[in-house]
Structure formats: C-alpha cells, structure tokens
Amino acid sequence: MADSGLAGRLTLQVINLKKIVDDNIIDIVPFTYGFVYAKKETDTSGNTRAAFYSYNAQTKKVEAVRRTGYLHTKFGENFEKIISEIGNFIFCDAVALPVGGESIVLFPDSKMAVIGSDGEIIWEEELCYRESPVKGLTADDDCVWFVVPEKNSIVRFSPTARKVYTRIGGNETTTFDDPVGVTKTGNFLYVSCANSKKIRKIDLQTYSVRDYRVFDEPVYKFFRVLGKEYVLLKSGFYML
C-alpha cells in the first residue's frame, strides 16, 4: 500500500530524550504502570547473566525484580507452564489477545506458538510471509500484526484462521525501510524502522501512513505507558 504522500512534510523531530536504560537491554515488556526489562550484566567473576528490573512510570524509579516478576508480566498467571513449554523466555515476543484469550509467542527464528488460557500450546509452527521470516508483534482483537523486514511490510495475521488478512507496504513501495517492531495504540499502528531511523504511524481507518518520529540512530521498539512515550534505540532505551 502506498504512502499518503505527506511523509516528508509531516516529519517530527525528537528532542530531549531521557535515557532510562543503557544499550545492554535484551528484552522489555510494558504493563499498565510501567515496564519490566532484562539486561545483560557481568558479575565479579566475569560471567554474563540476565538481570531483571522494573520501571514505575508514576514514580520514575527503577527497581530490581525477581525473575518470576518479569515472567508474570510477560506471560501472565500461567507463566510457569508456558515457559516449561517454550523454553526460551527472554528472546521472544509475547502478547495476550484481547479477544479469545489466547497468548501468542514469537521467536527470533520465526516460530510462533499459540497458547491457550490454561498455558497449553494449541499449535506451533514456523511462520513466514512469502518465504520471509516475521518478527515483532502486537495484538489487534483476535489477530496480531507482524513486521516482515525482508519485504519492507507489515501483515495482520489470524491465529485462528492461520491466514494473513492485510498487508501494508512492500519492496515495491517506500512505505517502510527495514521494519523491526510494531505497536498498536487505539486505532493506530506505530512501526519502528531501523534503516530509516523512523517510527511510522498508520491510521487503521484510512490506512494512511506518515512519519511520526525521526531519530539519528536505528529505532527498534516504541510504546506508550500512562501517556508517556518510550523508545528503544541502538544506544539505549529512552523516554521521549
């Protein structure tokens, strides 16, 4: 799908970024009042491990949390059952569908697992779009949106029907340049594009696309919590 044609004129520059986490972050999961995250740390023996923290968007304080706190936020009440089923619990994306009650987990190798409300895997398989791997996901009723970096596009996929309903972008257009993350807020999608260093905003009522934020380094993830915007850049994680 083509651009609205207004992208260049509607570009918004980002200023006054406040760094919250350095560039060792390896996973971040938003919730109602903030987010939890995992980051790489080196212990006194020189070994690298994952450490878990929580950021409170109301108090703007960072606190260390147990692994169970991070897992509960990411996977819900049945986190113990889910992680016993999926194994890799850090290097994956997970969302709960607001319609239907299933959870969707997507791994870096493009394997997707659909998990029921009891924590049992309903089905899992490698998910590709036109032979290209997908990554990143955000819930949309009983469907999810993925990005397809190799095709410079995003797709809306139904886990129930196991089919793609909508595609936006493509290699034949300039809509996206290396999309790597997607977030849905209200009736809008926000697509993080690493190569173009942009967040692009999509109106789901009209499917018009425009620039929302432009950075001077690659952007990987974006979301809102309590009216504040947060972004993961190559140099770290920031509040806008």
Side-chain angles (χ1 to χ4, degrees):
M1 182 172 292
D3 272 294
S4 64
L6 299 177
R9 295 195 296 274
L10 293 177
T11 296
L12 299 177
Q13 298 295 331
V14 174
I15 57 174
N16 297 326
L17 298 178
K18 179 182 178 181
K19 180 177 276 193
I20 298 174
V21 189
D22 61 24
D23 57 358
N24 287 321
I25 192 167
I26 51 179
D27 189 31
I28 188 160
V29 183
F31 62 94
T32 304
Y33 301 108
F35 51 86
V36 293
Y37 60 93
K39 61 176 295 188
K40 292 187 293 184
E41 291 187 348
T42 303
D43 61 24
T44 55
S45 301
N47 299 314
T48 301
R49 65 181 182 89
F52 305 99
Y53 296 89
S54 175
Y55 178 83
N56 187 312
Q58 293 177 314
T59 64
K60 297 181 174 56
K61 291 184 178 180
V62 173
E63 295 181 342
V65 296
R66 295 181 181 274
R67 188 185 73 153
T68 53
Y70 159 81
L71 292 172
H72 186 277
T73 302
K74 186 169 184 176
F75 298 106
E77 294 181 356
N78 292 311
F79 69 86
E80 291 182 341
K81 176 64 176 176
I82 292 173
I83 65 171
S84 71
E85 295 274 352
I86 66 173
N88 182 352
F89 59 82
I90 292 181
F91 296 101
C92 65
D93 292 315
V95 296
L97 299 182
V99 176
E102 293 89 1
S103 294
I104 311 298
V105 179
L106 181 67
F107 297 92
D109 61 1
S110 205
K111 184 178 76 173
M112 189 183 79
V114 179
I115 301 170
S117 57
D118 58 357
E120 295 283 347
I121 292 179
I122 298 173
W123 63 269
E124 61 180 333
E125 62 184 44
E126 183 179 358
L127 184 66
C128 292
Y129 177 71
R130 296 185 177 178
E131 300 182 349
S132 293
V134 302
K135 65 187 299 184
L137 77 163
T138 191
D140 184 8
D141 294 331
D142 60 347
C143 293
V144 289
W145 287 90
F146 297 109
V147 300
V148 192
E150 290 181 358
K151 295 292 191 289
N152 284 328
S153 61
I154 66 171
V155 295
R156 187 173 188 261
F157 177 80
S158 168
T160 302
R162 300 194 190 190
K163 65 182 293 186
V164 170
Y165 284 146
T166 308
R167 174 184 65 86
I168 304 174
N171 287 333
E172 69 281 4
T173 75
T174 59
T175 307
F176 306 114
D177 184 4
D178 191 24
V180 293
V182 58
T183 301
K184 181 176 183 289
T185 301
N187 289 320
F188 298 94
L189 288 177
Y190 298 87
V191 182
S192 301
C193 299
N195 279 350
S196 60
K197 305 173 185 177
K198 295 179 178 180
I199 297 171
R200 306 222 70 197
K201 182 178 180 179
I202 304 167
D203 186 328
L204 291 177
Q205 294 183 323
T206 64
Y207 288 102
S208 62
V209 186
R210 67 178 179 87
D211 287 347
Y212 183 67
R213 294 282 188 266
V214 180
F215 303 90
D216 58 5
E217 60 180 304
V219 52
Y220 305 122
K221 192 167 188 174
F222 167 85
F223 59 81
R224 283 195 179 100
V225 173
L226 294 180
K228 297 293 186 181
E229 297 182 337
Y230 300 87
V231 63
L232 179 62
L233 303 177
K234 184 177 181 180
S235 61
F237 189 74
Y238 298 84
M239 180 173 68
L240 304 186

